[in-house]
Amino acid sequence: MENPPPNVAQVFQALGDPTRRTILERLGTGPASASGLAAPLGITLAAVVQHVQVLEDSGLVSTRKTGRVRICTINATGLAVAEQWLRARRPVWEARLDRLGDLLAVEPLKPSV
Amino acid sequence: MENPPPNVAQVFQALGDPTRRTILERLGTGPASASGLAAPLGITLAAVVQHVQVLEDSGLVSTRKTGRVRICTINATGLAVAEQWLRARRPVWEARLDRLGDLLAVEPLKPSV
DNA sequence: CACATTGTCAAGTCTCAGCTTCAGTGTTTC
DNA sequence: GAAACACTGAAGCTGAGACTTGACAATGTG
């Protein structure tokens, strides 16, 4: 069972889907089986399993199989990857915005059209 | 000029695309025109403008048009939305993970089915 | 003014993600 | 052992999204 480190693309793409975010919210309250996740979602078990696969690949969920049931739990790895990416860029962005304010103050805006 | 607050779905979806992340990295070093962004990307100007539109809708970029040039700058709003979503969930996830360890040691898990 | 630059708009193509269906496979229960 | 259960895997459908093309508009520059 390999556990390759998730990349940012995977994590953000995984988080972009509303169904997957719903699954994550649900798992935030505790572990659940695949069929347990499927019930309130109104989609097929197969679809849920596909979502869970994406979430697992992006380090947002981990699963293990006990008997015939696949149990899904939250995994903070993907969350950490996303947070790190954002946190690394925030200072630069904010600095950039401060300087933008200066530029706008100096140079007069020309109303378009 | 409407400025509706970006939702999480938009932001994460926008960040999921590698080209858009490249654009953001570029804009982190300073404002740029649409064609200026297109040059190193190897895609059409039209494609870049479409990406910029997505980024603007998700509050990650703002643009203004001066003359015939559309100037794009970074916007921290979308970043803040994403960070807030992640930060709000981190404690729950980490608590969940801690308790998972305990549960595994003591009693069998009861996943909802 | 002629011309190039920069961007906008509206198709149209193409790939892929999300979903379903269905036919298995392994596991529990009676 | 039979039947219900929980999932797996593959195939196929469909719509969204990334990209192109080409025709147009607006703005600079010789």
Side-chain angles (χ1 to χ4, degrees):
Chain A
M1 301 190 186
E2 282 307 304
N3 210 9
N7 58 38
V8 215
Q10 282 178 306
V11 177
F12 283 139
Q13 244 171 318
L15 290 175
D17 183 84
T19 304
R20 284 194 286 264
R21 282 199 309 281
T22 303
I23 291 177
L24 289 178
E25 304 282 8
R26 166 64 189 81
L27 291 181
T29 71
S33 66
S35 53
L37 290 173
L41 286 175
I43 58 178
T44 324
L45 169 65
V48 170
V49 171
Q50 284 166 14
H51 279 304
V52 167
Q53 185 59 49
V54 172
L55 289 168
E56 193 166 16
D57 290 346
S58 56
L60 289 161
V61 157
S62 29
T63 75
R64 68 206 152 86
K65 192 146 183 187
T66 60
R68 63 183 168 183
V69 181
R70 176 164 297 277
I71 295 185
C72 311
T73 59
I74 222 90
N75 181 357
T77 308
L79 193 100
V81 167
E83 271 195 314
Q84 188 182 354
W85 191 92
L86 293 171
R87 196 167 37 237
R89 273 142 194 89
R90 186 176 45 176
V92 180
W93 290 29
E94 284 172 356
R96 180 55 55 188
L97 289 174
D98 291 347
R99 240 183 299 175
L100 175 64
D102 299 345
L103 288 175
L104 288 178
V106 172
E107 191 170 339
L109 279 172
K110 290 192 172 185
S112 51
V113 183
Chain B
M1 301 240 297
E2 288 301 312
N3 208 7
N7 58 37
V8 216
Q10 283 178 306
V11 177
F12 282 138
Q13 243 171 316
L15 290 175
D17 183 83
T19 303
R20 285 195 285 264
R21 282 200 310 281
T22 304
I23 290 177
L24 289 177
E25 304 282 6
R26 166 64 189 83
L27 291 180
T29 71
S33 66
S35 55
L37 289 172
L41 285 176
I43 57 178
T44 325
L45 170 64
V48 170
V49 171
Q50 285 166 14
H51 278 304
V52 168
Q53 185 59 48
V54 172
L55 289 168
E56 193 167 15
D57 290 345
S58 57
L60 289 161
V61 157
S62 32
T63 76
R64 67 205 156 89
K65 191 146 184 188
T66 59
R68 64 182 168 183
V69 180
R70 175 163 299 275
I71 296 185
C72 311
T73 59
I74 221 90
N75 180 359
T77 307
L79 192 99
V81 168
E83 270 195 313
Q84 189 182 353
W85 192 91
L86 292 172
R87 198 168 34 239
R89 274 144 194 87
R90 186 176 45 178
V92 181
W93 291 28
E94 285 172 354
R96 178 56 52 188
L97 290 174
D98 292 347
R99 237 183 303 175
L100 177 64
D102 300 344
L103 287 174
L104 286 178
V106 176
E107 88 186 54
L109 281 172
K110 285 190 167 183
S112 66
V113 177

